[in-house]
Amino acid sequence: MSDPRTIPDTPVDLGPRLLVVDDEPAICELITDIANMVGFVSQSASTMDEIDRMLGADFDVTVLDLALVGSDGIAVMRTLASRAPGARVVLASGASERIIASATRVAQLYGLQVLGTMPKPLGLSSLRALLRDCREAVVKPVTTLRRRPDVNTIIDELSPDQLHVLYQPIANVADGTVRSAEALVRWRHPEHGLIPPDEFVPALERQGRQHDLLLHVAEQVAQDRMSVPGVADLEDVSINVSALDLNVPETPDELAAILGKAAPPSAWTLEVTETVADGVAVTALDVMTRLGLAQFKLAIDDYGTGSSTLDRLRWYPFTTLKIDREFVSANPMHNLNDWIIVENAVSLGHQLGL
């Protein structure tokens, strides 16, 4: 019979682990008690020495107070991101909604997964519900997901025959009609399946291969517009143009030659990411102006997410303004600021004739 006082060499997995980082011990005790009740194994850190010692990858969720004596939650967040990339966090604060929203965005930009925010003073029922949701997010089965390698390690395997174009309808919300669509490229890897453009396009840009991608997509979309009835019947088709393509002086002539085989330039919209360049880049303005002179419609994509936005609206010959989905998908009950920005962006676009 084993000695009941013997501590086993292998630790027993009792559940997901949660760390509470707060300089108020009473708050730490409250949160850890409720977290334990919903199925976490919880610990807390109140002093800077404890925080520095315990912060890291050993925990599935970290509840982080944004106001810490002797430091601040943003600095701790930065450290956590460096020690445990992609770590899950819950942000706690008694600050205004704007500050909490800013801190949430900082966490996301550092690559952390924000599972929720916890306003102070704490409400017990809402705290319990939030921690229960966090536990479900942690223990949700992921056995059916196959982990894909870093796209940078497989980007050299990309060949033109693996690129496929899908079409996203653009609906008129007034009457529900669909008269245009956006062409979206996907990489169908023979082993790893569909890889979205936000993963592989940056890798191609780092290799200087994005212009080959643009010309290939343009050729495929032009062919579809000549041979596929559903696409041929559209009044307008949009394709995405990398900011780096605006630094290629031949872009207007190449697109006019390729796309012009299927439809006149006025029946095409070129969507340019809003982060094209800061200020007025001479080559980019040159290329954009020539595209406009050729009668291509030009859309500023992801409006609201880049810098020098007003400067670009002032100088570049855009015809369409596309507000980033981050703003229009927000719940107005939760983030009124996003809807104020949307309302003003729409008004500005109308006044500029976009």
Side-chain angles (χ1 to χ4, degrees):
M1 182 178 296
S2 62
D3 187 340
R5 295 170 298 176
T6 302
I7 300 176
D9 294 332
T10 303
V12 179
D13 184 8
L14 300 177
R17 303 190 65 201
L18 179 140
L19 175 66
V20 181
V21 176
D22 197 302
D23 53 16
E24 298 184 54
I27 296 295
C28 287
E29 183 178 359
L30 172 64
I31 297 176
T32 54
D33 284 349
I34 295 179
N36 291 336
M37 290 172 58
V38 302
F40 279 105
V41 177
S42 308
Q43 292 179 267
S44 64
S46 297
T47 67
M48 295 312 299
D49 287 341
E50 289 176 340
I51 295 171
D52 184 62
R53 176 170 52 85
M54 301 177 69
L55 194 70
D58 291 337
F59 295 91
D60 297 290
V61 178
T62 300
V63 178
L64 174 61
D65 183 23
L66 294 177
L68 300 171
V69 175
S71 182
D72 62 74
I74 302 299
V76 174
M77 181 191 301
R78 192 184 311 124
T79 301
L80 176 61
S82 65
R83 293 183 182 180
R88 305 178 184 91
V89 296
V90 173
L91 304 181
S93 177
S96 68
E97 290 185 5
R98 290 180 66 88
I99 295 297
I100 295 175
S102 297
T104 299
R105 185 59 176 159
V106 171
Q108 293 168 341
L109 291 174
Y110 278 132
L112 300 173
Q113 301 180 54
V114 182
L115 299 183
T117 58
M118 189 181 295
K120 289 186 173 182
L122 303 175
L124 294 183
S125 59
S126 58
L127 174 59
R128 185 181 298 108
L130 174 58
L131 292 176
R132 187 180 295 114
D133 290 343
C134 290
R135 185 182 184 281
E136 291 179 2
V138 171
V139 301
K140 183 179 295 184
V142 292
T143 54
T144 58
L145 299 179
R146 181 172 59 180
R147 185 172 180 83
R148 191 162 59 226
D150 181 356
V151 72
N152 292 293
T153 66
I154 61 173
I155 192 63
D156 290 336
E157 303 173 19
L158 173 60
S159 60
D161 62 293
Q162 297 173 357
L163 292 172
H164 298 265
V165 174
L166 309 178
Y167 293 91
Q168 176 173 277
I170 300 174
N172 184 327
V173 295
D175 56 19
T177 58
V178 174
R179 299 190 182 93
S180 58
E182 178 181 357
L184 304 172
V185 64
R186 298 290 185 268
W187 176 12
R188 191 183 298 277
H189 191 281
E191 180 182 352
H192 305 295
L194 284 179
I195 302 177
D198 59 353
E199 293 187 28
F200 72 84
V201 170
L204 289 177
E205 290 178 336
R206 284 189 287 271
Q207 292 187 345
R209 297 168 59 191
Q210 82 290 329
H211 196 64
D212 292 335
L213 174 66
L214 171 65
L215 299 183
H216 176 81
V217 171
E219 289 278 7
Q220 188 167 337
V221 175
Q223 184 61 42
D224 288 347
R225 203 162 184 188
M226 289 186 289
S227 60
V228 179
V231 180
D233 295 338
L234 295 171
E235 296 177 4
D236 184 87
V237 175
S238 303
I239 66 172
N240 291 282
V241 178
S242 167
L244 296 180
D245 289 313
L246 300 181
N247 289 320
V248 179
E250 295 79 18
T251 295
D253 294 334
E254 291 171 332
L255 290 180
I258 296 172
L259 300 178
K261 294 182 297 185
S266 59
W268 297 96
T269 296
L270 307 178
E271 296 191 7
V272 182
T273 179
E274 198 223 330
T275 52
V276 49
D278 288 331
V280 177
V282 174
T283 306
L285 183 57
D286 173 314
V287 169
M288 291 280 283
T289 303
R290 288 162 55 212
L291 288 169
L293 287 170
Q295 302 300 311
F296 283 107
K297 293 193 286 290
L298 302 169
I300 182 170
D301 201 7
D302 299 334
Y303 178 82
T305 59
S307 58
S308 301
T309 299
L310 295 178
D311 196 37
R312 277 189 284 279
L313 284 177
R314 180 185 181 192
W315 292 111
Y316 289 95
F318 291 111
T319 59
T320 304
L321 184 150
K322 292 186 65 179
I323 299 171
D324 186 71
R325 72 176 66 189
E326 182 177 326
F327 294 97
V328 297
S329 62
N331 185 334
M333 297 299 294
H334 295 159
N335 197 339
L336 182 60
N337 292 333
D338 283 358
W339 282 97
I340 293 174
I341 292 172
V342 168
E343 184 178 35
N344 281 275
V346 171
S347 176
L348 175 64
H350 286 166
Q351 292 179 57
L352 291 175
L354 305 182

